[in-house]
C-alpha cells in the first residue's frame, strides 16, 4: 500500500534537489526536498523486513519516480535498509564519533541512472555491546537543529536508546527492549486477556512507574500481578495497560539512571510515547524537552545532503 | 492428535478404579488408575484453550472411553479446565489453606452416565494478588509423598510459582512470567535472530544468571546486549539462548530471594528446567531437591480420589 501527498501543489511537477529516505523494518518513507524543505512526501509498507535484495530498487522507484527528471538525483537513506539483511550493508561506525559522517556514507549500485543512492551507516559500541540504525540520523538532526547541545538524548521506541552526547559526538549509548516488551506482553502473553482496547489511565501509569523504580529487581513478580488482579480484583483493562507501560518504562529508567540523574533530557520520538517518558522523568525531578522524530530524521539527512553538494 | 499407551497390557481391557486428568491450556492428559497406580495413559492436544464449552465432554470421552464399563467411574481433573473460560468454573480457594480439599471439588454436569467428573479448584491470594491452577495439585501431591514437609516449593514453568508451605497449608505464593518471557523473547522478539536451534551452554547460563542476580535492576539493558553481541561480536546462538535463560531465571531469583535465602528448595516440574533452577540455586549456596511433575500431579489427584471413596 503506497500513499502520496504533494501538499497544496496539486498536479504541479515536483523537482527536488535531493530525496530523503527513512527505510525501516516495516515501512518506507520518502521526502522530496527543496531549498526550503519538504516539497512532497510518500510512504509504503515496503519495509526492509519484507523485501529480498532485488526488490529494494523497484520499491524505492515506485514512490520517487514522479520526482525524477533528466539529471542524477541524490537519494540519502537511513535505517535498517543498511543492515546485513537489507539492501546493501553500511558497516557500523564505532563510538565515540559524530553520529553521521560523509566518509561513512555507502553508495549503493543501482540500475536506474537517474538516482545516486547513499545509505547512512549505524553506530556500534564495543563494551557493553550495542548497536543503532536510524537513531544516529535523528541524533545528528537534533544536533543540526541545536548545534550547541551537550548532554543526554533518549529516543523511546521499539528499542529505546539513551545516548551521551558531547562536543558533537555520541560518546556512549544503551538500548532497551521496552517497546518490544510492551507489544509482546500486551498482545501475545497471558497479560493480553486483561488489556483489551487502547485505553489509558495516567494514575495507573504512575503506579507502575513508581513500583518499578522503587523495586526494579521485583519486575518478574510485578508483571503477573496484573493478570491476577484482572482475575480476582477486576482490574480494568485501561489501568492494566497503563500500569504495564509504567512498569516497563520504570525498569528502563532504573537501569538508565546514570544517564538522566541530575540532567535534563532531550526526547526524540513519537509524541504520545515521548509524553509518557517526559511524565515519568518529571516524577523524578528531571526536565525533558521533546523533539519530533521526523523533523530530526530530515535534519540529519539534510546535513549529509549538504556535504554531498560540497563534495559530490 | 491423540495417543494411547496401555503399557505391557496389550489388548487386555483396562478397568481403573478412577481416572486422573491433567487438563491444561494446550494439552489433555489422562491416566487409568488402579490400586497400585497407573494402568494406562493417553493424551491429546485438546487443551482447554482450543475448546468451546460443549467440546470438553467429547474430548475427554475420546480418550477415556476404552476404560469405561457398566458402573460410574470417578474422573478427577485439575488445571485450566476449571477456569472461567474452561469447561466449568471451579472458584479459587483463598490462601492460607490446604492445597486441595474435598469440599472444594466441583462436580461437572455431564451427559454420559458412565462418568462422575470433578474439577479441583485453584488457589488465590488477595495481597499481593496472585492465582494458580494446577500447581496446587502438584503441591498437594508433594505433600502426600512427603507428609512432614515444611518449607519452600518452586514450580518452574511458563508461569513459575514459589510457595511457602507450613503445617500442610500454602501460606503464600508468588508467580513469575519467566517461562513465557523466555518463549516470547527467544521466538518472537528481535533476539530470536541470534538464537536459532536448541543449543545450550552452561557457562553462558551461569554468566546470565550472575549478571541478573548482581544487577537485576539492569535487566532492561542486559537483554538487548544479547542482540548486539550477536551482531558485532559473533555471539554463538547456543550461548545467547542459555544466557537469556540465565538472565530471566536470575531476575526471578532476585525477586524470589525472600523465599529461598537460607532455605532448601523443593523443585517440581519438567526435569531439564528443574535442573537449570537447581544449578542456579546451587550457585547461591541453596540445596534443591527435584520432584517429577507428573508424579506429584497424580499423587495430588489420588489424595482426592481417596476422599471420594470414603465420602462418595
Amino acid at each position: 500500500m503506497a500513499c502520496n501527498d504533494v501538499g497544496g501543489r496539486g498536479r504541479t511537477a515536483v523537482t527536488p534537489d535531493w530525496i530523503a529516505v527513512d527505510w525501516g523494518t516495516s515501512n518506507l518513507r520518502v521526502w522530496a526536498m527543496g531549498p526550503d524543505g519538504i516539497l512532497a512526501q510518500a510512504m509504503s509498507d515496503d519495509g526492509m523486513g519484507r523485501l529480498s535484495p532485488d526488490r529494494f530498487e523497484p520499491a524505492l522507484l515506485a514512490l520517487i519516480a514522479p520526482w525524477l527528471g533528466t539529471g542524477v538525483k541524490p537519494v540519502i537513506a537511513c535505517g535498517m535498509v543498511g543492515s546485513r539483511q537489507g539492501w546493501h550493508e553500511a558497516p557500523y561506525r564505532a563510538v565515540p564519533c559524530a553520529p553521521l559522517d560523509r566518509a561513512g556514507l555507502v553508495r549503493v549500485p543501482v540500475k536506474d541512472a537517474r538516482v545516486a543512492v547513499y545509505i547512512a551507516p549505524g553506530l556500534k559500541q564495543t563494551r557493553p555491546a550495542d548497536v543503532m540504525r536510524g537513531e544516529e540520523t535523528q541524533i545528528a538532526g537534533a544536533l543540526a537543529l541545536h548545534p550547541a547541545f551537550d548532554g543526554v538524548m533518549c529516543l523511546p521506541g521499539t528499542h529505546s536508546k539513551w545516548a551521551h552526547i558531547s562536543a558533537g559526538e555520541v560518546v556512549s549509548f544503551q538500548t532497551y527492549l521496552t517497546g518490544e516488551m510492551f507489544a509482546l506482553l500486551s498482545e501475545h502473553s497471558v497479560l493480553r486477556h486483561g488489556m483489551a482496547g487502547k485505553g489509558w489511565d495516567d494514575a495507573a501509569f504512575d503506579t507502575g512507574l513508581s513500583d518499578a523504580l522503587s523495586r526494579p529487581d521485583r519486575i518478574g513478580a510485578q508483571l503477573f500481578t496484573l493478570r491476577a488482579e484482572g482475575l480476582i480484583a477486576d482490574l480494568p483493562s485501561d489501568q492494566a495497560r497503563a500500569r504495564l507501560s509504567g512498569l516497563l518504562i520504570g525498569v528502563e529508567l532504573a537501569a538508565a539512571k546514570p544517564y538522566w540523574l541530575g540532567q535534563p533530557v532531550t526526547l526524540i520520538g513519537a509524541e504520545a510515547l515521548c509524553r509518557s517518558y517526559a511524565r515519568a522523568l518529571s516524577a523524578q525531578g528531571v526536565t525533558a524537552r521533546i523533539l519530533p522524530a521526523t523533523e530530526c530524521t530530515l535534519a540529519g539527512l539534510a546535513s549529509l545532503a549538504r556535504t554531498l553538494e560540497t563534495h559530490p
Side-chain angles (χ1 to χ4, degrees), chain A:
Chain A
M1 185 187 62
C3 108
N4 269 267
D5 170 17
V6 293
R9 289 171 174 269
R11 291 160 181 279
T12 312
V14 171
T15 310
D17 296 336
W18 62 286
I19 293 166
V21 178
D22 182 2
W23 208 329
T25 304
S26 309
N27 291 296
L28 165 59
R29 297 193 300 161
V30 298
W31 294 264
M33 304 297 293
D36 301 318
I38 303 169
L39 302 176
Q41 58 190 40
M43 69 174 296
S44 77
D45 56 5
D46 275 333
M48 160 268 179
R50 53 180 281 182
L51 297 177
S52 55
D54 60 322
R55 296 288 308 136
F56 282 88
E57 187 173 341
L60 176 67
L61 290 170
L63 290 186
I64 68 169
W67 307 334
L68 302 180
T70 48
V72 179
K73 202 70 72 183
V75 176
I76 310 178
C78 66
M80 292 303 291
V81 66
S83 70
R84 202 168 300 170
Q85 292 76 35
W87 186 359
H88 193 89
E89 185 175 5
Y92 295 112
R93 296 166 57 239
V95 296
C97 63
L100 288 179
D101 183 75
R102 168 69 183 90
L105 270 188
V106 170
R107 180 82 181 258
V108 183
V110 290
K111 291 175 184 153
D112 194 309
R114 296 173 299 169
V115 289
V117 177
Y118 302 86
I119 297 180
L123 301 182
K124 69 177 173 184
Q125 174 177 278
T126 306
R127 219 176 160 80
D130 217 324
V131 293
M132 66 167 71
R133 271 199 194 278
E135 294 88 353
E136 75 294 328
T137 302
Q138 297 180 331
I139 293 172
L143 286 173
L145 297 169
H146 304 278
F149 181 89
D150 219 275
V152 174
M153 293 186 187
C154 168
L155 299 90
T158 305
H159 300 154
S160 297
K161 310 278 179 185
W162 286 79
H164 269 133
I165 312 294
S166 183
E169 293 196 335
V170 177
V171 178
S172 69
F173 65 101
Q174 178 84 65
T175 304
Y176 298 83
L177 279 181
T178 311
E180 184 160 21
M181 293 269 280
F182 182 78
L184 288 173
L185 289 171
S186 66
E187 295 166 24
H188 300 286
S189 84
V190 70
L191 303 185
R192 75 185 185 279
H193 298 298
M195 300 196 179
K198 292 284 172 194
W200 192 258
D201 183 292
D202 275 338
F205 174 80
D206 294 345
T207 300
L209 184 80
S210 158
D211 286 352
L213 267 167
S214 61
R215 292 298 305 273
D217 56 310
R218 291 190 50 73
I219 183 67
Q222 289 158 337
L223 292 174
F224 192 79
T225 303
L226 294 174
R227 172 62 176 155
E229 285 189 25
L231 285 169
I232 65 175
D234 295 323
L235 180 69
S237 63
D238 53 349
Q239 288 185 29
R241 287 185 83 249
R243 211 164 92 202
L244 174 62
S245 174
L247 283 171
L248 295 175
I249 292 176
V251 172
E252 175 181 331
L253 290 190
K257 197 175 274 189
Y259 281 92
W260 54 260
L261 195 66
Q263 303 254 25
V265 171
T266 293
L267 293 162
I268 305 174
E271 198 189 340
L273 186 60
C274 282
R275 280 206 307 269
S276 288
Y277 274 71
R279 181 183 179 92
L281 287 166
S282 169
Q284 310 309 311
V286 173
T287 308
R289 168 176 61 174
I290 299 177
L291 298 182
T294 300
E295 193 178 321
C296 290
T297 299
L298 292 177
L301 292 171
S303 72
L304 286 171
R306 282 191 295 275
T307 66
L308 286 180
E309 284 161 19
T310 49
H311 311 280

